[in-house]
Amino acid sequence: MKKTAVVLLLLIGMFTRLSAQTSDDNFQQALNEVLNDIEYQYKVKLRISGGSIEGKVLDYARWRYRPDVEQTLQNVLAPFDMVAIPDGDRKYKIQGYQYHRRSVNEAQETLNFLASKYSNKTEWEQRRMAIKACLPDALRLSPLPDAAESQPVLTELRKHKGYTVQNIGLEVLPGVYVAGSIYRPAKIKGKIPVILSPNGHFGNGRYNEQIQTRCAALARMGAMVVSYDLFAWGESTLQFDGSAHRKSLANTMQALNSIRLLDYLLSFDYADTNRVGITGGSGGGSHSMLMAAIDERIDVSVPAVMLSAIHYGGCPCESGNPIHLCEGGTNNVELAALFAPKPQLVISDGGDWTANVPEMEFPFLKRIYGFYGDGAVVENKHLADEGHDYGPSKRAAMYRFMAEHLDLDASKVFDQKGLLDESDITIEDQNQLKAFGENGENLPGHAIYGFASLEKMFQGEDEKAWIGSGARYKIGVCDWMILKRQKLGAFSRTHEIGADGLLLDMGGLGNRSTFDSKLFDPIMRRKFQDELNKYHLEVAGIAMSGFYAQNFAARDVEPMIDDCINTMHLMGTKVAFLPLGVEGDLNKHPERRDSIVAKLHRAGQKAKAAGVVIGIETALDAKGELQLLGEINSDGIKIYYNVANALQNGRDLYSELETLGAENICQILITDEDGVWLENNQRVDMTKVKQTLDRMGWGGWLVIERSRDQNNPRDVVGNFGANTRYLKKIFQE
């Protein structure tokens, strides 16, 4: 009886709302009510993903209903730029519009439309050449930038059973490097094939076991293979924050990296220019199709788990440039067809967006290959019971195809029964595969830093403008010290000061459970990011300055650490600043050491898992900080070194830096107590500081906190501008 009464009340409420809807108010209804009604009317389940619908109101709400639920959902959600994605039997996921996705029906309609444009080889070739001519412009690689003339950074060869590995850092633009590893047969006789192995978004990048395995196996089979970082992944993050990977220029740089690496590999006298292959999985599959379309030197292509008409590649590194808008619109299937009639193997599976390849995408591809007659080779290996990876069965199919079309020795990876055998392959440690050393110490001194510097190259600005923005060192300021803590004005003031970026504070703490941060608000955060882009600035790090006066040992810090790490990701930076402050001074409060160590260990583990670092400022000397790091025992915690601590306590600054070592310092507060500008400070020799850091192989952000002129302490721009100019003169010129 009680349940019946509740239902009646709901129905009465619904009819009351309906009776209140007229053309006078455009038949408005709250979107959440509309979706609840759709669930009831159409007997479906809806799940909201990636955003809130609260407060959204729909005009002409019930007039949008149609007999078909999917059409109804499309009509209802389109005004809010949202879509409904099938998510099981009569289940749908409601989310923001995804430009790179299509429904199966839409994908088939698109393929039918594209197919209608050509019915024979002549008509196809006209479209093919038009798309190929468009792609370099869409990629911003027409004309192709001049290559750097430097020699690559190369490590020693490492010998394994049947193959060798050598890491490479190749300068693709002045000051811009791509890092990778070259796999070669242990014995090279005559000419050998060359294979590009671009990476997808699999865990651990090119250090991933599956990627190492396929490269080593192909080398054992007789090819020279190069695996290389995605832009702003792996060692590329020595120069560019991970957020740069979500920029459209990542699409440009990854194509340029492939072109430059292929140039290099084909320069060897034993490289066979007539036997060149490419294979990658997921995002590496997108890149394989793109490179096969634009680089005529490639002879064999094997895109894995990516060819799809329903998914164009959602990362900007795959679809951030308008490559799919060429010639009135295209998709990855048509881009893959540009490779015809050269040999191409498409690997697909039943567990991702390639599930429909045998019935939908492959027939389209095969039809175009059919225009070229019997000599054209295109195949599909579909693994209906597998998921999204480049696992053994997928590699086995690729090995056989590459062996057949690049004349490789398949017996090196298959036993006498024809079973895959990769047991002789050595999986190397991540640090072994690094081109620039474990901590980036071998990255050349003229390397540029920051995405803004790279952008300027493609905007045609003078070379000195971007070189001057910071080769090895970048200069920043603290937003709280330039009197713009958590304010939009911090960016224009930092620009006026002339710094490269700023340390953004998380806001006040007091007795709250976490920081009072404007960066939690997506609207404000977007405004902050717009200001960063407007002034071509970078975020040096996220600061938890609230702990200058708070007792870290006594507070429940986990929510604060979680919020800080999340903010780091949202703002595209990998370093946080955590001052232990007066309450965390372990010289004065040794009784708090155990609590601080335990909490920092936990924070460090969280940071490490998130791929970021928390830098702590302490009152200890260098030896004491090393001991503290040992007790914390987490790679996620490093020292945020403050020059003033050494100067004010009469310690030898230069030997302290070397004692700590480059690997233990994440950033440096290059500052002293107020009194005079840094250039007038008699107790620190900045040239010697630079020489020390150069000798250590350290590079990164130098952040100015104080060092104001005592005669004019309120002149923010004057004080910080003078210190910035001086540090740039010492460290950047």
Side-chain angles (χ1 to χ4, degrees):
M1 187 70 182
K2 187 175 182 181
K3 182 177 181 181
T4 303
V6 171
V7 172
L8 284 172
L9 285 172
L10 287 172
L11 289 173
I12 291 170
M14 182 180 75
F15 288 125
T16 301
R17 288 192 298 273
L18 282 177
S19 65
Q21 295 169 13
T22 68
S23 62
D24 296 340
D25 61 4
N26 297 330
F27 290 94
Q28 286 183 344
Q29 190 173 359
L31 180 59
N32 62 342
E33 294 179 2
V34 175
L35 294 179
N36 288 337
D37 182 62
I38 289 174
E39 284 190 310
Y40 174 77
Q41 297 274 12
Y42 294 89
K43 304 298 185 289
V44 295
K45 289 291 184 182
L46 306 179
R47 176 169 65 90
I48 310 301
S49 174
S52 172
I53 61 171
E54 292 301 320
K56 289 182 168 60
V57 177
L58 180 64
D59 286 345
Y60 304 102
R62 300 303 177 93
W63 292 95
R64 298 176 186 270
Y65 285 25
R66 298 292 185 271
D68 179 70
V69 66
E70 292 191 3
Q71 185 63 56
T72 298
L73 286 168
Q74 180 178 329
N75 293 348
V76 165
L77 296 171
F80 305 102
D81 211 22
M82 299 175 75
V83 294
I85 305 296
D87 194 32
D89 184 28
R90 302 201 63 77
K91 296 179 181 179
Y92 294 88
K93 178 171 63 174
I94 310 298
Q95 60 188 34
Y97 179 72
Q98 294 185 305
Y99 72 93
H100 58 282
R101 291 244 186 206
R102 302 288 184 273
S103 70
V104 173
N105 289 339
E106 289 173 330
Q108 187 62 68
E109 289 174 1
T110 299
L111 289 175
N112 293 342
F113 173 71
L114 294 175
S116 71
K117 293 177 177 290
Y118 30 80
S119 58
N120 54 55
K121 180 180 175 182
T122 300
E123 292 173 353
W124 161 248
E125 279 289 336
Q126 290 176 347
R127 179 162 174 82
R128 176 179 181 268
M129 297 311 296
I131 296 175
K132 285 176 72 70
C134 169
L135 288 174
D137 285 327
L139 280 168
R140 289 181 273 182
L141 291 177
S142 181
L144 195 68
D146 292 336
E149 297 181 358
S150 64
Q151 293 298 310
V153 176
L154 295 170
T155 64
E156 294 294 324
L157 282 173
R158 300 183 299 284
K159 297 180 180 180
H160 299 295
K161 191 172 183 179
Y163 68 100
T164 65
V165 187
Q166 182 180 38
N167 306 329
I168 180 172
L170 186 69
E171 191 172 13
V172 296
L173 288 171
V176 181
Y177 286 81
V178 58
S181 298
I182 302 173
Y183 296 73
R184 295 179 176 91
K187 295 181 180 180
I188 297 175
K189 296 180 181 179
K191 299 279 189 179
I192 64 172
V194 170
I195 299 176
L196 296 175
S197 177
N199 288 308
H201 300 95
F202 298 115
N204 294 325
R206 66 182 171 89
Y207 315 126
N208 183 284
E209 182 173 335
Q210 291 185 356
I211 294 172
Q212 290 192 55
T213 299
R214 79 166 183 254
C215 292
L218 288 167
R220 283 173 52 81
M221 292 168 66
M224 175 164 53
V225 188
V226 64
S227 171
Y228 43 107
D229 286 329
L230 294 166
F231 174 75
W233 272 46
E235 289 182 273
S236 182
T237 58
L238 294 171
Q239 296 187 261
F240 308 104
D241 287 338
S243 61
H245 184 71
R246 301 294 300 177
K247 300 287 189 179
S248 62
L249 203 55
N251 189 216
T252 305
M253 289 305 303
Q254 288 179 188
L256 183 61
N257 290 345
S258 294
I259 292 169
R260 295 286 193 246
L261 282 165
L262 189 53
D263 290 342
Y264 176 74
L265 295 183
L266 292 179
S267 70
F268 288 95
D269 57 8
Y270 54 80
D272 190 338
T273 58
N274 295 314
R275 288 190 291 161
V276 178
I278 188 167
T279 184
S282 192
S286 291
H287 193 64
S288 295
M289 291 181 281
L290 177 61
M291 290 307 302
I294 68 174
D295 198 318
E296 293 293 336
R297 296 173 294 181
I298 296 174
D299 303 298
V300 180
S301 177
V302 184
V305 296
M306 198 62 223
L307 181 85
S308 174
I310 68 173
H311 183 48
Y312 291 44
C315 179
C317 79
E318 301 169 82
S319 57
N321 285 316
I323 56 177
H324 296 101
L325 303 182
C326 282
E327 287 303 295
T330 183
N331 63 13
N332 280 347
V333 189
E334 197 176 38
L335 291 183
L338 300 181
F339 195 59
K342 296 178 180 179
Q344 181 167 204
L345 169 66
V346 174
I347 300 176
S348 55
D349 64 79
D352 60 21
W353 45 82
T354 64
N356 301 301
V357 165
E359 297 82 27
M360 186 164 67
E361 289 90 349
F362 188 63
F364 178 94
L365 194 58
K366 194 172 182 180
R367 173 177 177 260
I368 292 174
Y369 266 75
F371 293 154
Y372 294 89
D374 294 338
V377 179
V378 63
E379 298 178 11
N380 173 217
K381 179 66 174 179
H382 187 69
L383 299 156
D385 296 326
E386 294 196 11
H388 190 72
D389 62 15
Y390 209 143
S393 52
K394 299 181 179 75
R395 295 197 297 272
M398 178 270 291
Y399 295 149
R400 290 191 172 97
F401 195 79
M402 289 289 193
E404 179 180 356
H405 296 287
L406 291 180
D407 192 22
L408 297 173
D409 185 357
S411 70
K412 299 296 184 182
V413 291
F414 294 102
D415 63 21
Q416 292 181 350
K417 295 181 180 180
L419 299 176
L420 182 64
D421 182 3
E422 299 169 320
S423 59
D424 287 330
I425 290 170
T426 300
I427 302 303
E428 295 190 314
D429 177 79
Q430 177 172 321
N431 286 326
Q432 290 178 284
L433 290 162
K434 290 183 176 179
F436 301 116
E438 291 188 16
N439 300 292
E441 61 270 16
N442 297 324
L443 184 68
H446 70 280
I448 70 164
Y449 292 88
F451 185 72
S453 300
L454 178 66
E455 271 190 315
K456 291 177 183 177
M457 294 189 189
F458 287 88
Q459 294 167 354
E461 297 189 24
D462 185 73
E463 184 177 285
K464 290 183 179 178
W466 52 263
I467 288 180
S469 70
R472 187 186 184 101
Y473 303 98
K474 289 179 281 190
I475 311 302
V477 292
C478 309
D479 68 350
W480 64 92
M481 289 306 300
I482 61 171
L483 308 184
K484 293 291 181 182
R485 183 191 199 191
Q486 288 256 303
K487 294 181 180 178
L488 289 175
F491 304 101
S492 58
R493 181 162 289 181
T494 300
H495 176 72
E496 189 177 1
I497 287 167
D500 301 318
L502 68 170
L503 199 56
L504 281 177
D505 192 51
M506 286 285 286
L509 186 51
N511 294 321
R512 304 176 187 88
S513 61
T514 190
F515 301 97
D516 182 22
S517 176
K518 293 181 180 178
L519 295 173
F520 296 154
D521 181 349
I523 296 175
M524 283 301 300
R525 191 167 63 246
R526 180 69 263 175
K527 291 180 179 179
F528 275 51
Q529 290 165 336
D530 288 344
E531 290 293 291
L532 279 169
N533 293 331
K534 176 180 178 180
Y535 292 106
H536 299 291
L537 297 172
E538 294 181 67
V539 178
I542 300 297
M544 295 180 272
S545 73
F547 280 106
Y548 270 124
Q550 291 280 336
N551 187 344
F552 187 83
R555 297 293 301 263
D556 176 12
V557 300
E558 292 231 3
M560 307 165 197
I561 296 297
D562 289 342
D563 286 340
C564 180
I565 290 174
N566 186 44
T567 302
M568 292 163 74
H569 281 302
L570 292 170
M571 295 305 297
T573 185
K574 289 184 175 294
V575 174
F577 170 56
L578 172 59
L580 294 182
V582 294
E583 296 295 330
D585 185 336
L586 296 179
N587 293 318
K588 296 179 179 177
H589 300 287
E591 74 281 359
R592 296 175 181 171
R593 190 180 190 98
D594 289 346
S595 175
I596 289 175
V597 166
K599 291 182 177 183
L600 287 176
H601 174 77
R602 175 66 177 155
Q605 294 304 94
K606 288 188 173 188
K608 181 180 179 180
V612 298
V613 168
I614 297 174
I616 57 172
E617 181 195 356
T618 83
L620 302 170
D621 62 13
K623 290 183 179 179
E625 288 185 324
L626 284 178
Q627 182 180 346
L628 180 63
L629 289 178
E631 293 172 19
I632 294 169
N633 191 28
S634 174
D635 293 338
I637 302 292
K638 293 187 184 295
I639 297 300
Y640 205 117
Y641 189 77
N642 191 336
V643 167
N645 288 342
L647 299 179
Q648 293 167 18
N649 289 284
R651 301 196 295 264
D652 187 324
L653 166 64
Y654 319 104
S655 65
E656 279 225 330
L657 289 169
E658 293 196 278
T659 296
L660 271 175
E663 68 278 8
N664 294 313
I665 302 173
C666 60
Q667 290 183 2
I668 299 176
L669 285 171
I670 197 148
T671 189
D672 197 3
E673 59 189 356
D674 288 330
V676 296
W677 291 343
L678 290 171
E679 61 189 282
N680 299 322
N681 193 324
Q682 298 299 308
R683 60 182 182 182
V684 60
D685 182 341
M686 283 300 167
T687 299
K688 189 173 180 181
V689 171
K690 180 179 184 297
Q691 291 170 346
T692 303
L693 294 174
D694 285 347
R695 187 166 58 250
M696 293 165 57
W698 189 89
W701 282 95
L702 308 171
V703 180
I704 307 165
E705 188 182 28
R706 295 185 180 275
S707 299
R708 294 171 291 195
D709 185 342
Q710 64 180 350
N711 296 317
N712 198 6
R714 296 182 179 275
D715 183 4
V716 174
V717 174
N719 284 310
F720 285 92
N723 287 330
T724 296
R725 288 190 297 274
Y726 175 62
L727 291 182
K728 286 198 166 194
K729 181 179 179 181
I730 298 294
F731 286 90
Q732 293 184 352
E733 296 180 12

